[in-house]
C-alpha cells in the first residue's frame, strides 16, 4: 500500500495554489486519513478477511470483491460447532461483489447463512475513485474560508 495516493507535486497538477509542499502534504494526509477511516484501507493485491454474523439469505462484505478465495461457515448446535468451507456453488455473488446470496442448492445447501461466516477475498481496486475523491476533498479544504465576508 502506498504511503499516500498523491504527492504534493501531483496535487498541484489539479489544484492551483501557492501553499508550500509541507502544507499540501498535511492536507493530503488529513483528507486521505478520512477516506481510510470511512472506506477502509486502500486496495491491495493481498486478500482481506471479513467476519460476519449470519442468519439471513444475504451477507454484505465491507467492500466489493473482485475474487473470493474462501467462505467458511460456522453453525452452532447442541453438539457444538460445525465449521464448513463452502463450495463456490453454495453461494452467489451479487451487487458487483458486495453481497453474497446463500443458495439452498449446491454442495452444502442451506436456505440461510449459518451463525458466523468468514470470507477471504480480494477487494476490487478502487484507487482511481479514491484518488479523485482525495483531489476533490483537498480542493474543498484549501478553498474553504471561515470568514463571513471577503472583499477583493
Amino acid at each position: 500500500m502506498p504511503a499516500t495516493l498523491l504527492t504534493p507535486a501531483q496535487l498541484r497538477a489539479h489544484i492551483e495554489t501557492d501553499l508550500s509542499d509541507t502544507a499540501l502534504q498535511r492536507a493530503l494526509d488529513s483528507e486521505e486519513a478520512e477516506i481510510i477511516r470511512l472506506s477502509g484501507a486502500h486496495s491491495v493485491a493481498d486478500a482481506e478477511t471479513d467476519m460476519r454474523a449470519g442468519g439471513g439469505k444475504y451477507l454484505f462484505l465491507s467492500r466489493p470483491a473482485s475474487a473470493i478465495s474462501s467462505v467458511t461457515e460456522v453453525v452452532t448446535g447442541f453438539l457444538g460447532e460445525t465449521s464448513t468451507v463452502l463450495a463456490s456453488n453454495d453461494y452467489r455473488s451479487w451487487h458487483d461483489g458486495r453481497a453474497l446470496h446463500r443458495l439452498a442448492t449446491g454442495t452444502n445447501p442451506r436456505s440461510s447463512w449459518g451463525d458466523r461466516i468468514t470470507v477471504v477475498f480480494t477487494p476490487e481496486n478502487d484507487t482511481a475513485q479514491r484518488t479523485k475523491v482525495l483531489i476533490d476533498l483537498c480542493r474543498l479544504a484549501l478553498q474553504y474560508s471561515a470568514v463571513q465576508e471577503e472583499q477583493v
Side-chain angles (χ1 to χ4, degrees):
M1 175 172 68
T4 59
L5 291 173
L6 290 173
T7 64
Q10 292 169 323
L11 183 60
R12 285 184 196 282
H14 300 279
I15 297 173
E16 186 177 331
T17 182
D18 58 353
L19 291 175
S20 67
D21 282 354
T22 305
L24 283 179
Q25 188 63 56
R26 269 195 306 271
L28 282 167
D29 292 345
S30 172
E31 301 306 332
E32 189 166 1
E34 193 63 15
I35 291 171
I36 292 169
R37 184 182 73 80
L38 292 171
S39 300
H42 300 312
S43 295
V44 292
D46 299 334
E48 286 190 20
T49 302
D50 270 8
M51 296 178 72
R52 297 284 186 255
K57 290 185 179 192
Y58 289 92
L59 181 77
F60 295 93
L61 300 175
S62 60
R63 55 196 308 176
S66 63
I68 296 176
S69 302
S70 69
V71 178
T72 305
E73 180 178 57
V74 175
V75 177
T76 305
F78 293 114
L79 301 176
E81 292 185 345
T82 304
S83 180
T84 307
V85 177
L86 299 181
S88 60
N89 64 353
D90 292 328
Y91 59 88
R92 180 174 294 135
S93 178
W94 290 91
H95 304 291
D96 297 326
R98 172 101 35 195
L100 299 179
H101 178 216
R102 187 67 164 98
L103 300 175
T105 59
T107 307
N108 304 288
R110 278 182 63 98
S111 59
S112 62
W113 289 101
D115 299 315
R116 291 190 319 270
I117 297 89
T118 303
V119 182
V120 180
F121 66 99
T122 303
E124 181 180 275
N125 188 342
D126 58 358
T127 304
Q129 293 92 338
R130 287 172 180 254
T131 302
K132 182 186 180 323
V133 168
L134 180 58
I135 292 167
D136 290 344
L137 286 173
C138 286
R139 180 177 289 124
L140 286 171
L142 297 175
Q143 288 178 351
Y144 177 73
S145 175
V147 298
Q148 284 184 333
E149 185 177 321
E150 288 185 35
Q151 291 182 355
V152 179

